[in-house]
Amino acid sequence: MTFQDTYATGRRTGSSAPYGGRPAAPVPPGRPRRGPGGRRAVAAAFWLGLVAAVLPWWLATPPGSLADTTDVLTAAGRITGLVAGYLLLVQVLMMSRLGVLERWLGGERLSRVHRDLGATLLVAVLAHLALLVVGYARMEKNSILGQVGALLTHEDMVSAFVAAGFMVTVGFTAVRGVRRRLPYELWYHLHLTSYLALLLGYGHQFSNGAQLYEPGPVRSGWIAAYQLVVAALVWGRLIAPLRFNLRHRLRVADVVAESPDTISIYLTGHRLNQIDLLGGQYFRWRFLNPGCWWQSHPFSLSAAGNGRWLRLTVKVVGGHTAELRDLHPGTRAWAEGPSGTFTAAHRTRERALLIAGGSGIAPLRAMLEELPPGAALIYRARTPADVLLHHELDWLAQARRTSVWYVIGSRDDPGPRQVMSPEGLRRLVPDLTRRDVYLCGPGGLVDEAVRVLRRAGVPRRQIHLATFEL
């Protein structure tokens, strides 16, 4: 098989947008682009907050007070407790879905920071618990188990141990290998126990915390921080979605089978032309029928906004997505969004290369409508039957002068391996390093593509990943 035999270019003539609606206009780069200034501001606020959290212990601890091992253990336990309390507030704030955080950090970076801080938070919680138990046991001349029993005689300490248990559970299920094996619904609801940990830890902090139980500016500052985080949660999770859904009142218009295991859901509503939407963004969808109302899942739109309807294309991989096949026209939908910085507006170069795998074509197909002519798309699929929306992609190849390659076969086949290499990508797209690259698909494909792109010389800032999930 020659290199040319490993891919095919789809073309279809036409001059108007398929399936109704108005064609999208190209979106210029930089509206609203996340910039280094916003990231630096968030980083500075984080480190200042961490210093402010630990500073009260420093100011209240006189020189020479750490005289022996017991003092050092209890001091370390208190410091890690302050750090854990602060990191928990930050974690919950990042789960509040405030648009300003996403705009400043970007969806991929926000997700990565949330994951990394989660691991640090888990270590801080376990260190706080272990150091104080050992320190108090030495102080009281008690055994470890005896000291744990003594601590559990206090109601606030019981809630603190329960909160620690929740944090360990969340941290364990956040491990990539574990998360991939859990149903999304189970992982999502376990993740929500972070809110319970925040509430359970609140009483412990202010009744037992050495720096927080006495009235004063330190205690008032921590209470204000809790209030700000709760306000962000109420706004991001309740008020903003309620306003959006009362305004647009989305309903299912039709469900169309794209392949044996993939469907497209069309939705209509009110004032759709007033939704500030960009191709590549996603909503969190809750369909209000008996089988689906209690679950909320993130799905990208697979067509750019046209003022008449919205469309999401979903691969059936579990019980919830199977239920979506049976949605009836008129079913109400509750949506939260739009979210995401995986858009044409966030590119740094005029031209772009898009690489999709399987159902990862959905946000990229929407984005193609808003990219200027000259974009390129590489679509990886195991078989021709796995290629989704190919008629629309062929139309876009003609209407937007987009180069489209369908790369068919498994990752170990010679053809795809040759195409998805630094040399293969440079042959298809000679100006590869001068383009932004958008990746969406299975984790293995995305990770391997990032490695290949970096070896090909594409700067990391020009590589964009579709990342869901806070």
Side-chain angles (χ1 to χ4, degrees):
M1 179 179 288
T2 66
F3 182 88
Q4 293 293 327
D5 290 331
T6 64
Y7 64 90
T9 304
R11 293 287 186 270
R12 177 175 159 222
T13 59
S15 59
S16 61
Y19 313 109
R22 57 172 174 78
V27 175
R31 189 191 68 85
R33 183 192 297 173
R34 66 182 184 270
R39 293 196 295 270
R40 284 195 292 266
V42 172
F46 170 80
W47 289 110
L48 285 173
L50 183 59
V51 170
V54 177
L55 188 61
W57 172 87
W58 178 269
L59 296 177
T61 304
S65 60
L66 304 181
D68 56 27
T69 303
T70 300
D71 293 335
V72 171
L73 287 172
T74 54
R78 288 167 181 167
I79 292 172
T80 52
L82 292 169
V83 170
Y86 173 73
L87 291 181
L88 180 58
L89 285 173
V90 172
Q91 286 288 79
V92 174
L93 180 63
M94 286 194 292
M95 294 170 63
S96 67
R97 298 176 183 168
L98 283 182
V100 64
L101 288 177
E102 189 174 74
R103 289 192 296 271
W104 284 358
L105 289 178
E108 177 203 351
R109 187 181 298 270
L110 187 61
S111 178
R112 187 169 64 249
V113 170
H114 180 74
R115 182 183 64 245
D116 294 344
L117 281 185
T120 306
L121 170 59
L122 179 59
V123 171
V125 167
L126 294 177
H128 169 64
L129 185 62
L131 289 166
L132 282 186
V133 167
V134 174
Y136 289 157
R138 289 173 62 95
M139 187 183 302
E140 301 293 335
K141 302 293 191 290
N142 202 352
S143 67
I144 300 297
L145 291 178
Q147 188 61 42
V148 170
L151 291 173
L152 290 177
T153 60
H154 302 281
E155 182 179 349
D156 289 334
M157 291 305 301
V158 173
S159 66
F161 273 84
V162 173
F166 282 138
M167 296 309 303
V168 171
T169 301
V170 171
F172 177 72
T173 57
V175 175
R176 181 175 297 184
V178 176
R179 177 175 174 179
R180 287 177 175 173
R181 287 170 172 79
L182 290 176
Y184 176 84
E185 298 87 352
L186 177 60
W187 172 84
Y188 177 76
H189 288 97
L190 285 174
H191 211 64
L192 291 181
T193 59
S194 298
Y195 300 143
L196 292 177
L198 185 70
L199 294 175
L200 292 170
Y202 179 88
H204 159 64
Q205 281 185 289
F206 291 97
S207 63
N208 300 105
Q211 274 70 48
L212 302 182
Y213 74 90
E214 292 184 354
V218 174
R219 181 184 175 95
S220 298
W222 275 85
I223 292 175
Y226 267 89
Q227 291 172 338
L228 286 174
V229 169
V230 171
L233 276 175
V234 171
W235 177 264
R237 295 267 183 168
L238 296 177
I239 297 177
L242 182 61
R243 290 177 60 196
F244 179 90
N245 286 279
L246 288 177
R247 181 174 182 81
H248 298 292
R249 287 176 281 177
L250 299 175
R251 292 181 181 272
V252 174
D254 198 7
V255 179
V256 177
E258 302 288 355
S259 75
D261 63 352
T262 306
I263 58 172
S264 285
I265 302 172
Y266 289 79
L267 300 109
T268 57
H270 297 262
R271 305 183 183 92
L272 299 188
N273 61 323
Q274 297 177 16
I275 300 177
D276 187 13
L277 172 66
L278 292 172
Q281 292 186 304
Y282 65 95
F283 289 79
R284 294 172 181 88
W285 299 94
R286 188 186 302 273
F287 294 95
L288 306 183
N289 68 337
C292 303
W293 67 268
W294 59 279
Q295 299 182 53
S296 174
H297 287 251
F299 296 119
S300 298
L301 296 180
S302 59
N306 56 44
R308 296 177 56 190
W309 43 262
L310 303 176
R311 184 184 71 183
L312 52 147
T313 299
V314 180
K315 185 176 180 64
V316 177
V317 294
H320 174 72
T321 47
E323 293 273 358
L324 299 182
R325 285 173 160 166
D326 300 323
L327 290 174
H328 296 292
T331 299
R332 293 291 299 269
W334 179 275
E336 297 179 46
S339 302
T341 54
F342 190 74
T343 73
H346 291 81
R347 69 189 189 279
T348 62
R349 299 291 186 268
E350 186 63 19
R351 290 194 170 190
L353 166 65
L354 287 65
I355 302 177
S359 59
I361 191 61
L364 299 183
R365 182 261 177 260
M367 194 186 305
L368 277 174
E369 294 189 61
E370 299 176 344
L371 287 167
L377 168 67
I378 298 174
Y379 189 179
R380 287 279 291 107
R382 294 186 63 86
T383 69
D386 294 323
V387 175
L388 304 175
L389 309 173
H390 65 93
H391 293 301
E392 298 178 34
L393 296 175
D394 292 347
W395 172 82
L396 286 165
Q398 175 70 25
R400 294 283 187 179
R401 298 199 301 277
T402 298
S403 300
V404 178
W405 293 276
Y406 301 107
V407 182
I408 307 300
S410 71
R411 69 176 66 182
D412 296 324
D413 290 345
R417 285 176 58 190
Q418 191 175 13
V419 172
M420 299 303 294
S421 66
E423 298 76 18
L425 291 179
R426 281 194 291 261
R427 181 178 292 187
L428 288 182
V429 188
D431 61 344
L432 175 65
T433 59
R434 299 193 299 275
R435 291 179 181 245
D436 281 80
V437 183
Y438 291 83
L439 298 168
C440 188
L445 181 146
V446 170
D447 293 342
E448 179 60 26
V450 169
R451 287 192 289 269
V452 170
L453 290 165
R454 296 295 289 123
R455 293 205 310 268
V458 179
R460 184 65 185 84
R461 65 181 177 275
Q462 291 172 216
I463 301 175
H464 311 267
L465 311 179
T467 304
F468 303 147
E469 226 353 76
L470 299 176

